[in-house]
Amino acid sequence: MPELPEVETVARDLRGLIVGATITGARGDWPRAIASHPTVEAFADAVAGRRVEAVGRRAKLVVVEFSGGAAPGRDPAGRDPAGRDPAGRDPAGRDPAGRDPAALTIHLKMTGQLFVVPASAPSDRHVHVALALDDGREIRFRDIRKFGRVGCWPRDPATGAVLVGEGGAELFAGHGPEPLDDAFTLRAFRARLRPRRGRLKPLLLDQGFIAGVGNIYADEALWRARLHPLRSAATLRPPDEARLYRELRAILAEAIERRGSSIDDYTAPDGDGSMQERLDVYQRTGEPCPRCGRPIRRIVAGARATHFCSWCQRLPAADRPGAAAILRATRAPAAKGARTTMGRRWTELAAEGSLGLTPAEAERAAAKARAERTRRAAATRRADARAGAGGARARARAGEDA
Ligand SMILES: [Zn+2]
């Protein structure tokens, strides 16, 4: 599922493609993909004639700003005698055609993809909404699993907030801060973290705590920060908080630079990302931890697969009984009978049997092990050939090297 870096990449690609274009209409074959209107026709009426002013992102949603969408009054300079700003919006934020400010939101969810193509380009049955542009192109929303949603919402002319529903609730009211915002300082992170008592993994996934973080970057940030996913927020000391803050922001920024992780169906309008090559633990169950070489573990925490290194991400003694209880409660049936063992130097929360490898992960780990065995065997043969009678010693050395 696309997370902050993937959605940010989609928004940036889209920005380069559609800012300045005017939407002339919309078509679709799946009314439930429209969150804001009961029918595709009503949605088409709401978006037709709208000019795209900007494209941004909030949490995991792409936000397309229509003419009149940006809050007027923020910049009183440059208004004409009638109070219109340079884009022709009146003081109430209505565009030159008299439309109220509005924004288009796109939630990609599991499998949503956006493409901007000539209207004549071949389509397929997974394109459920298409917005026609005045230059002969279309924005196509393709979604194999149909969980994604688009909506055209009014904006509060005073604040620019996106409003939904009858009562005009703010769409993003329940969302936490953007982790890459300048205003999101270490101090701000601490202030949000300190009242929390939950475990770190579910906490990072909680969109009300911080917006935009999902399974991939939660696992990666925790591994980089050397914090166990089931560690409780209450046990973090100031240096732990600082590491988590730093690593979370670092991995999100790096992932944006690499256009996100092209895992599952994610792709951006301008093509795939490459961050998946830089992930250290996510979906690498059984592979050696890049830091210590011990196998990456996989557990289920908060109903989500969680990847970590039980050596590098140790659990304080105070957290172990609680974490063990969580694991007992969520253990997959395949792992029945696996015991939680407490090592002398680290807590092994799951024995081999409860690793719960997916077939793809098991295949990858097996392929890696096969390659390693082949390499060792070849090294031994070469050492034998070189050393002749002294082969035993050379073999021992080759074994040490490996
Ligand atoms: Zn490790």
Short mmCIF file of all heavy atoms in Angstrom, two decimals, residues 223 289 291-294 309 311-312, ligand 1:
data_model
loop_
_atom_site.label_atom_id
_atom_site.label_comp_id
_atom_site.label_asym_id
_atom_site.label_seq_id
_atom_site.Cartn_x
_atom_site.Cartn_y
_atom_site.Cartn_z
N TRP A 223 13.97 -0.46 12.67
CA TRP A 223 15.22 -1.20 12.55
C TRP A 223 16.40 -0.24 12.58
O TRP A 223 17.38 -0.46 13.30
CB TRP A 223 15.25 -2.02 11.25
CG TRP A 223 16.52 -2.80 11.11
CD1 TRP A 223 16.81 -4.00 11.68
CD2 TRP A 223 17.69 -2.40 10.36
NE1 TRP A 223 18.09 -4.39 11.34
CE2 TRP A 223 18.65 -3.43 10.53
CE3 TRP A 223 18.01 -1.30 9.57
CZ2 TRP A 223 19.91 -3.37 9.94
CZ3 TRP A 223 19.26 -1.24 8.99
CH2 TRP A 223 20.20 -2.28 9.18
N CYS A 289 20.34 -10.03 8.82
CA CYS A 289 20.25 -8.61 9.18
C CYS A 289 21.49 -7.91 8.65
O CYS A 289 22.61 -8.37 8.88
CB CYS A 289 20.17 -8.49 10.70
SG CYS A 289 20.51 -6.84 11.34
N ARG A 291 23.04 -5.52 9.66
CA ARG A 291 23.91 -4.99 10.71
C ARG A 291 24.64 -6.10 11.44
O ARG A 291 25.81 -5.97 11.74
CB ARG A 291 23.06 -4.17 11.68
CG ARG A 291 23.81 -3.10 12.42
CD ARG A 291 22.89 -1.99 12.91
NE ARG A 291 21.63 -2.49 13.39
CZ ARG A 291 20.49 -1.80 13.36
NH1 ARG A 291 20.48 -0.57 12.90
NH2 ARG A 291 19.37 -2.33 13.78
N CYS A 292 23.95 -7.20 11.74
CA CYS A 292 24.55 -8.22 12.61
C CYS A 292 24.57 -9.60 11.98
O CYS A 292 25.21 -10.50 12.51
CB CYS A 292 23.83 -8.26 13.95
SG CYS A 292 22.22 -9.06 13.85
N GLY A 293 23.88 -9.80 10.87
CA GLY A 293 23.92 -11.09 10.18
C GLY A 293 22.94 -12.12 10.69
O GLY A 293 22.78 -13.17 10.09
N ARG A 294 22.27 -11.83 11.79
CA ARG A 294 21.28 -12.80 12.28
C ARG A 294 20.00 -12.69 11.45
O ARG A 294 19.73 -11.64 10.87
CB ARG A 294 20.99 -12.52 13.75
CG ARG A 294 22.17 -12.87 14.63
CD ARG A 294 21.96 -12.40 16.05
NE ARG A 294 23.10 -12.77 16.88
CZ ARG A 294 24.23 -12.06 16.93
NH1 ARG A 294 24.38 -10.99 16.20
NH2 ARG A 294 25.22 -12.47 17.70
N CYS A 309 14.96 -7.28 13.61
CA CYS A 309 16.07 -8.12 14.04
C CYS A 309 16.04 -8.21 15.55
O CYS A 309 16.17 -7.19 16.23
CB CYS A 309 17.40 -7.53 13.57
SG CYS A 309 18.82 -8.39 14.28
N TRP A 311 18.12 -9.27 17.55
CA TRP A 311 19.40 -8.96 18.19
C TRP A 311 19.61 -7.45 18.26
O TRP A 311 19.92 -6.90 19.31
CB TRP A 311 20.54 -9.62 17.41
CG TRP A 311 21.89 -9.24 17.91
CD1 TRP A 311 22.66 -8.21 17.49
CD2 TRP A 311 22.63 -9.88 18.95
NE1 TRP A 311 23.82 -8.15 18.20
CE2 TRP A 311 23.85 -9.16 19.10
CE3 TRP A 311 22.38 -10.99 19.78
CZ2 TRP A 311 24.81 -9.53 20.04
CZ3 TRP A 311 23.35 -11.35 20.70
CH2 TRP A 311 24.55 -10.62 20.82
N CYS A 312 19.43 -6.78 17.14
CA CYS A 312 19.69 -5.34 17.09
C CYS A 312 18.58 -4.53 17.75
O CYS A 312 18.79 -3.40 18.17
CB CYS A 312 19.79 -4.86 15.65
SG CYS A 312 21.17 -5.55 14.74
ZN ZN B 1 20.65 -7.33 13.52
#
